């Protein structure tokens, strides 16, 4: 079975390390805040000016003035700081983010990412994506493995306008966890019940499969 959005977020959360400063992008990445593992402390950043983002609020905690970059209401963790977007981007551009988690339309085998526009469709703007992929030390991309037509989104070369070049380290899709290095996707884990053959069939870019590929385990 393909992973749900929540399961993708849970698997991303397992990549967090104690002391990390982490930027969470719009969409699936924001769900990671709900699954930070016990026993570690991380500071989650939202590019609109919140450092120390907590999980989504329950109904009694909703504050319309406390939102993330996707205009969703969030909570603030203990020790959180709120500041303007200029300071937020100074943090991002200054290389002070250990990990960025963001979505994409396409990723290719050289670590290039296309995430901000599809030609001839409404474009809302680049947002902070270009700064984030250039400024973070480590980048994980979350996405579906294929589009609604069944066409692969893990390519030999991106066809859409690029957000960043050679910057993506890992991709977690609804089918698999892959690492990008040496001009190829390296299959590390597969979603429970998903076969290696299905992943191969839905990966257009160069894919290397070494040994037995374990199913993902969720702590």
């Amino acid at each position: 079975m393909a992973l749900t959005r929540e399961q993708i977020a849970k698997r991303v959360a397992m990549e967090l390390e104690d002391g990390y400063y982490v930027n969470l992008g719009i969409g699936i990445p924001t769900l990671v805040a709900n699954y930070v593992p016990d026993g570690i402390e991380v500071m989650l950043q939202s590019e609109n000016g919140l450092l120390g983002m907590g999980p989504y609020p329950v109904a009694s905690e909703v504050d319309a003035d406390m939102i993330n970059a996707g205009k969703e209401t969030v909570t603030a963790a203990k020790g959180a700081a709120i500041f303007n977007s200029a300071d937020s981007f100074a943090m991002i551009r200054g290389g002070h983010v250990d990990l960025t988690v963001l979505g994409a339309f396409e990723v290719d085998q050289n670590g290039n990412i296309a995430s901000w526009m599809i030609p001839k469709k409404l474009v809302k703007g680049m947002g902070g994506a270009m700064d984030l992929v250039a400024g973070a030390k480590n980048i994980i991309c979350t996405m579906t493995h294929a589009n609604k037509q069944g066409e692969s989104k893990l390519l030999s070369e991106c066809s859409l306008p690029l957000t960043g070049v050679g910057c993506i380290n890992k991709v977690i899709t609804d089918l698999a966890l892959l690492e990008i290095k040496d001009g190829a996707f390296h299959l590390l884990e597969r979603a429970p019940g998903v076969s290696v053959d299905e992943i191969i069939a839905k990966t257009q870019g160069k894919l290397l499969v070494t040994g037995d590929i374990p199913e993902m385990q969720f702590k």
Side-chain angles (χ1 to χ4, degrees):
M1 295 291 292
L3 299 180
T4 64
R5 290 163 54 89
E6 289 74 16
Q7 287 175 315
I8 294 173
K10 284 182 181 180
R11 185 59 190 84
V12 172
M14 292 167 61
E15 298 291 308
L16 302 179
E17 295 185 17
D18 192 46
Y20 264 16
Y21 288 84
V22 183
N23 179 279
L24 300 180
I26 296 170
I28 293 173
T30 58
L31 298 174
V32 174
N34 290 339
Y35 303 110
V36 176
D38 294 334
I40 70 169
E41 290 188 10
V42 295
M43 292 296 282
L44 303 178
Q45 190 222 25
S46 184
E47 66 188 56
N48 57 318
L50 172 60
L51 179 62
M53 183 167 54
Y56 282 107
V58 297
S60 61
E61 297 175 322
V62 171
D63 179 349
D65 292 325
M66 182 68 70
I67 61 172
N68 63 19
K71 310 296 189 297
E72 300 170 307
T73 53
V74 294
T75 60
K78 183 179 179 180
I82 297 172
F83 36 82
N84 65 42
S85 59
D87 289 333
S88 182
F89 276 89
M91 178 181 177
I92 293 167
R93 293 168 181 168
H96 304 295
V97 174
D98 297 297
L99 171 66
T100 283
V101 185
L102 76 169
F105 299 132
E106 298 174 345
V107 173
D108 72 29
Q109 65 194 39
N110 293 306
N112 302 326
I113 177 174
S115 68
W116 72 282
M117 73 166 292
I118 298 176
K120 299 182 181 180
K121 290 194 175 183
L122 177 65
V123 179
K124 294 182 179 180
M126 172 65 74
M130 184 176 287
D131 297 275
L132 287 163
V133 297
K137 301 169 186 174
N138 186 18
I139 303 170
I140 296 175
C141 186
T142 63
M143 60 194 299
T144 55
H145 212 95
N147 63 22
K148 293 179 181 179
Q149 290 73 44
E151 299 165 333
S152 180
K153 295 165 65 175
L154 278 63
L155 308 174
S156 56
E157 184 176 355
C158 288
S159 63
L160 296 172
L162 296 182
T163 308
V165 174
C167 55
I168 305 301
N169 305 103
K170 289 183 178 178
V171 182
I172 299 179
T173 75
D174 54 340
L175 302 183
L177 164 63
L178 308 100
E179 183 177 14
I180 301 176
K181 61 181 181 180
D182 302 325
F185 296 101
H186 295 253
L187 183 58
L188 303 182
E189 299 176 9
R190 55 192 173 89
V194 172
S195 69
V196 171
D197 287 342
E198 180 179 356
I199 296 167
I200 292 172
K202 292 184 177 179
T203 306
Q204 185 268 331
K206 183 179 180 181
L207 175 65
L208 297 182
V209 180
T210 305
D212 293 329
I213 305 300
E215 290 190 348
M216 291 183 190
Q217 301 293 319
F218 297 96
K219 297 179 182 178

PDB file of all heavy atoms in Angstrom, residues 22-37:
ATOM      1  N   VAL A  22      15.043  23.214  11.774  1.00  0.00           N
ATOM      2  CA  VAL A  22      14.396  22.587  10.629  1.00  0.00           C
ATOM      3  C   VAL A  22      13.332  23.502  10.046  1.00  0.00           C
ATOM      4  O   VAL A  22      12.447  23.977  10.770  1.00  0.00           O
ATOM      5  CB  VAL A  22      13.739  21.253  11.037  1.00  0.00           C
ATOM      6  CG1 VAL A  22      13.130  20.556   9.821  1.00  0.00           C
ATOM      7  CG2 VAL A  22      14.744  20.337  11.726  1.00  0.00           C
ATOM      8  N   ASN A  23      13.402  23.743   8.747  1.00  0.00           N
ATOM      9  CA  ASN A  23      12.349  24.488   8.062  1.00  0.00           C
ATOM     10  C   ASN A  23      11.379  23.505   7.436  1.00  0.00           C
ATOM     11  O   ASN A  23      11.789  22.585   6.729  1.00  0.00           O
ATOM     12  CB  ASN A  23      12.918  25.405   6.978  1.00  0.00           C
ATOM     13  CG  ASN A  23      11.821  26.160   6.245  1.00  0.00           C
ATOM     14  OD1 ASN A  23      11.182  25.631   5.343  1.00  0.00           O
ATOM     15  ND2 ASN A  23      11.603  27.406   6.644  1.00  0.00           N
ATOM     16  N   LEU A  24      10.099  23.713   7.686  1.00  0.00           N
ATOM     17  CA  LEU A  24       9.058  22.870   7.114  1.00  0.00           C
ATOM     18  C   LEU A  24       8.280  23.663   6.074  1.00  0.00           C
ATOM     19  O   LEU A  24       7.701  24.710   6.380  1.00  0.00           O
ATOM     20  CB  LEU A  24       8.106  22.373   8.203  1.00  0.00           C
ATOM     21  CG  LEU A  24       8.732  21.526   9.314  1.00  0.00           C
ATOM     22  CD1 LEU A  24       7.667  21.117  10.324  1.00  0.00           C
ATOM     23  CD2 LEU A  24       9.435  20.295   8.751  1.00  0.00           C
ATOM     24  N   GLY A  25       8.251  23.156   4.856  1.00  0.00           N
ATOM     25  CA  GLY A  25       7.532  23.824   3.781  1.00  0.00           C
ATOM     26  C   GLY A  25       6.046  23.557   3.845  1.00  0.00           C
ATOM     27  O   GLY A  25       5.534  22.889   4.750  1.00  0.00           O
ATOM     28  N   ILE A  26       5.330  24.072   2.852  1.00  0.00           N
ATOM     29  CA  ILE A  26       3.876  23.954   2.793  1.00  0.00           C
ATOM     30  C   ILE A  26       3.474  22.551   2.334  1.00  0.00           C
ATOM     31  O   ILE A  26       4.133  21.941   1.508  1.00  0.00           O
ATOM     32  CB  ILE A  26       3.314  25.020   1.832  1.00  0.00           C
ATOM     33  CG1 ILE A  26       3.613  26.424   2.382  1.00  0.00           C
ATOM     34  CG2 ILE A  26       1.818  24.851   1.625  1.00  0.00           C
ATOM     35  CD1 ILE A  26       3.306  27.538   1.392  1.00  0.00           C
ATOM     36  N   GLY A  27       2.364  22.039   2.869  1.00  0.00           N
ATOM     37  CA  GLY A  27       1.857  20.739   2.459  1.00  0.00           C
ATOM     38  C   GLY A  27       2.277  19.647   3.423  1.00  0.00           C
ATOM     39  O   GLY A  27       2.265  19.824   4.640  1.00  0.00           O
ATOM     40  N   ILE A  28       2.671  18.499   2.876  1.00  0.00           N
ATOM     41  CA  ILE A  28       3.076  17.360   3.702  1.00  0.00           C
ATOM     42  C   ILE A  28       4.142  17.741   4.729  1.00  0.00           C
ATOM     43  O   ILE A  28       4.073  17.308   5.887  1.00  0.00           O
ATOM     44  CB  ILE A  28       3.556  16.190   2.814  1.00  0.00           C
ATOM     45  CG1 ILE A  28       2.396  15.613   1.994  1.00  0.00           C
ATOM     46  CG2 ILE A  28       4.181  15.079   3.660  1.00  0.00           C
ATOM     47  CD1 ILE A  28       2.810  14.567   0.974  1.00  0.00           C
ATOM     48  N   PRO A  29       5.157  18.550   4.379  1.00  0.00           N
ATOM     49  CA  PRO A  29       6.188  18.878   5.375  1.00  0.00           C
ATOM     50  C   PRO A  29       5.654  19.469   6.674  1.00  0.00           C
ATOM     51  O   PRO A  29       6.205  19.208   7.748  1.00  0.00           O
ATOM     52  CB  PRO A  29       7.077  19.880   4.627  1.00  0.00           C
ATOM     53  CG  PRO A  29       6.953  19.467   3.195  1.00  0.00           C
ATOM     54  CD  PRO A  29       5.515  19.061   3.037  1.00  0.00           C
ATOM     55  N   THR A  30       4.582  20.268   6.612  1.00  0.00           N
ATOM     56  CA  THR A  30       4.074  20.870   7.845  1.00  0.00           C
ATOM     57  C   THR A  30       3.557  19.816   8.811  1.00  0.00           C
ATOM     58  O   THR A  30       3.539  20.040  10.028  1.00  0.00           O
ATOM     59  CB  THR A  30       2.946  21.880   7.543  1.00  0.00           C
ATOM     60  OG1 THR A  30       1.884  21.227   6.846  1.00  0.00           O
ATOM     61  CG2 THR A  30       3.466  23.036   6.707  1.00  0.00           C
ATOM     62  N   LEU A  31       3.152  18.663   8.306  1.00  0.00           N
ATOM     63  CA  LEU A  31       2.654  17.586   9.170  1.00  0.00           C
ATOM     64  C   LEU A  31       3.752  16.993  10.040  1.00  0.00           C
ATOM     65  O   LEU A  31       3.463  16.345  11.063  1.00  0.00           O
ATOM     66  CB  LEU A  31       2.027  16.477   8.322  1.00  0.00           C
ATOM     67  CG  LEU A  31       0.804  16.852   7.473  1.00  0.00           C
ATOM     68  CD1 LEU A  31       0.410  15.675   6.583  1.00  0.00           C
ATOM     69  CD2 LEU A  31      -0.355  17.270   8.353  1.00  0.00           C
ATOM     70  N   VAL A  32       5.006  17.199   9.667  1.00  0.00           N
ATOM     71  CA  VAL A  32       6.129  16.648  10.435  1.00  0.00           C
ATOM     72  C   VAL A  32       6.114  17.154  11.874  1.00  0.00           C
ATOM     73  O   VAL A  32       6.520  16.448  12.803  1.00  0.00           O
ATOM     74  CB  VAL A  32       7.473  16.989   9.752  1.00  0.00           C
ATOM     75  CG1 VAL A  32       8.658  16.546  10.599  1.00  0.00           C
ATOM     76  CG2 VAL A  32       7.543  16.328   8.369  1.00  0.00           C
ATOM     77  N   ALA A  33       5.603  18.365  12.071  1.00  0.00           N
ATOM     78  CA  ALA A  33       5.544  18.937  13.425  1.00  0.00           C
ATOM     79  C   ALA A  33       4.742  18.076  14.385  1.00  0.00           C
ATOM     80  O   ALA A  33       4.961  18.135  15.605  1.00  0.00           O
ATOM     81  CB  ALA A  33       4.950  20.351  13.353  1.00  0.00           C
ATOM     82  N   ASN A  34       3.830  17.261  13.864  1.00  0.00           N
ATOM     83  CA  ASN A  34       3.012  16.402  14.722  1.00  0.00           C
ATOM     84  C   ASN A  34       3.721  15.126  15.147  1.00  0.00           C
ATOM     85  O   ASN A  34       3.210  14.399  16.006  1.00  0.00           O
ATOM     86  CB  ASN A  34       1.721  16.010  13.997  1.00  0.00           C
ATOM     87  CG  ASN A  34       0.757  17.159  13.827  1.00  0.00           C
ATOM     88  OD1 ASN A  34       0.830  18.150  14.555  1.00  0.00           O
ATOM     89  ND2 ASN A  34      -0.146  17.043  12.874  1.00  0.00           N
ATOM     90  N   TYR A  35       4.882  14.850  14.551  1.00  0.00           N
ATOM     91  CA  TYR A  35       5.504  13.538  14.751  1.00  0.00           C
ATOM     92  C   TYR A  35       6.964  13.606  15.201  1.00  0.00           C
ATOM     93  O   TYR A  35       7.716  12.648  15.006  1.00  0.00           O
ATOM     94  CB  TYR A  35       5.407  12.719  13.457  1.00  0.00           C
ATOM     95  CG  TYR A  35       3.993  12.538  12.974  1.00  0.00           C
ATOM     96  CD1 TYR A  35       3.540  13.182  11.821  1.00  0.00           C
ATOM     97  CD2 TYR A  35       3.099  11.739  13.669  1.00  0.00           C
ATOM     98  CE1 TYR A  35       2.233  13.032  11.381  1.00  0.00           C
ATOM     99  CE2 TYR A  35       1.785  11.574  13.235  1.00  0.00           C
ATOM    100  CZ  TYR A  35       1.361  12.226  12.091  1.00  0.00           C
ATOM    101  OH  TYR A  35       0.068  12.070  11.666  1.00  0.00           O
ATOM    102  N   VAL A  36       7.365  14.704  15.811  1.00  0.00           N
ATOM    103  CA  VAL A  36       8.738  14.803  16.309  1.00  0.00           C
ATOM    104  C   VAL A  36       8.960  13.703  17.349  1.00  0.00           C
ATOM    105  O   VAL A  36       8.187  13.589  18.308  1.00  0.00           O
ATOM    106  CB  VAL A  36       9.005  16.184  16.937  1.00  0.00           C
ATOM    107  CG1 VAL A  36      10.411  16.233  17.538  1.00  0.00           C
ATOM    108  CG2 VAL A  36       8.839  17.280  15.886  1.00  0.00           C
ATOM    109  N   PRO A  37       9.984  12.866  17.191  1.00  0.00           N
ATOM    110  CA  PRO A  37      10.192  11.745  18.116  1.00  0.00           C
ATOM    111  C   PRO A  37      10.439  12.208  19.547  1.00  0.00           C
ATOM    112  O   PRO A  37      11.008  13.279  19.785  1.00  0.00           O
ATOM    113  CB  PRO A  37      11.440  11.051  17.539  1.00  0.00           C
ATOM    114  CG  PRO A  37      11.498  11.480  16.111  1.00  0.00           C
ATOM    115  CD  PRO A  37      10.964  12.871  16.083  1.00  0.00           C
TER     116      PRO A  37
END
